[in-house]
Amino acid sequence: MTISERASASVREMPARDRPISEEFRLVARAWVDAEKAAAILEESKTAVLSQMMLKEGDIAANKAEMRVKGSADWQEYLDKMVSARAEANLRRVQMKYVEMRFSEWQSADANARRERQMGRQAT
């Protein structure tokens, strides 16, 4: 076992309740990037997939091949997969925004508490 394997074997993931907000953001942002990548790949390859499916229809007119493909279960499955991937990316983005909002709320509460402490010292 190498040194790096031993080191990573002894590292355990920090429980969610103990994670700093920055770490929560990093994890959610990473998930968003991965989900966005998956959605973008499906969206960008839509035309290529359609063309490949149309070629499998054989030597028929392009409009007829397109109509057959777009009416097929395979095409519907591809579209469902593409829409689901976009929905997953959107969900991850909302989760990322939620972490940002929690940080903003914490920052505001912390500033208010500091101000209250300062006001308490001034009153004495």
Side-chain angles (χ1 to χ4, degrees), residues 98-109:
Y98 168 72
V99 174
E100 288 176 338
M101 288 170 56
R102 278 189 40 230
F103 173 72
S104 181
E105 289 169 353
W106 170 84
Q107 197 173 29
S108 178

Side-chain angles (χ1 to χ4, degrees):
M1 182 180 271
T2 67
I3 294 173
S4 62
E5 288 172 339
R6 280 185 284 172
S8 63
S10 65
V11 174
R12 291 183 182 83
E13 189 168 324
M14 183 182 295
R17 68 181 182 280
D18 296 335
R19 284 186 198 135
I21 293 176
S22 59
E23 178 63 5
E24 287 182 45
F25 182 84
R26 185 190 70 78
L27 293 172
V28 174
R30 178 61 191 249
W32 174 68
V33 167
D34 291 344
E36 179 64 25
K37 176 184 174 186
I41 287 171
L42 288 170
E43 289 168 353
E44 292 297 322
S45 11
K46 183 178 174 183
T47 303
V49 170
L50 177 62
S51 295
Q52 290 168 0
M53 292 172 94
M54 285 172 60
L55 287 172
K56 289 179 184 175
E57 289 295 315
D59 194 20
I60 61 174
N63 62 339
K64 192 170 188 176
E66 182 178 356
M67 182 180 66
R68 284 184 183 174
V69 168
K70 286 187 174 179
S72 72
D74 288 343
W75 183 249
Q76 186 61 48
E77 183 181 321
Y78 181 83
L79 294 178
D80 289 345
K81 187 177 177 182
M82 186 175 66
V83 170
S84 294
R86 176 55 52 208
E88 179 69 20
N90 288 338
L91 176 63
R92 299 296 181 180
R93 182 167 168 77
V94 168
Q95 289 172 334
M96 196 170 64
K97 287 297 202 180
Y98 168 72
V99 174
E100 288 176 338
M101 288 170 56
R102 278 189 40 230
F103 173 72
S104 181
E105 289 169 353
W106 170 84
Q107 197 173 29
S108 178
D110 190 52
N112 288 340
R114 268 195 319 273
R115 183 68 182 137
E116 286 174 8
R117 285 191 304 270
Q118 288 172 349
M119 290 173 66
R121 280 184 248 147
Q122 291 172 356
T124 57

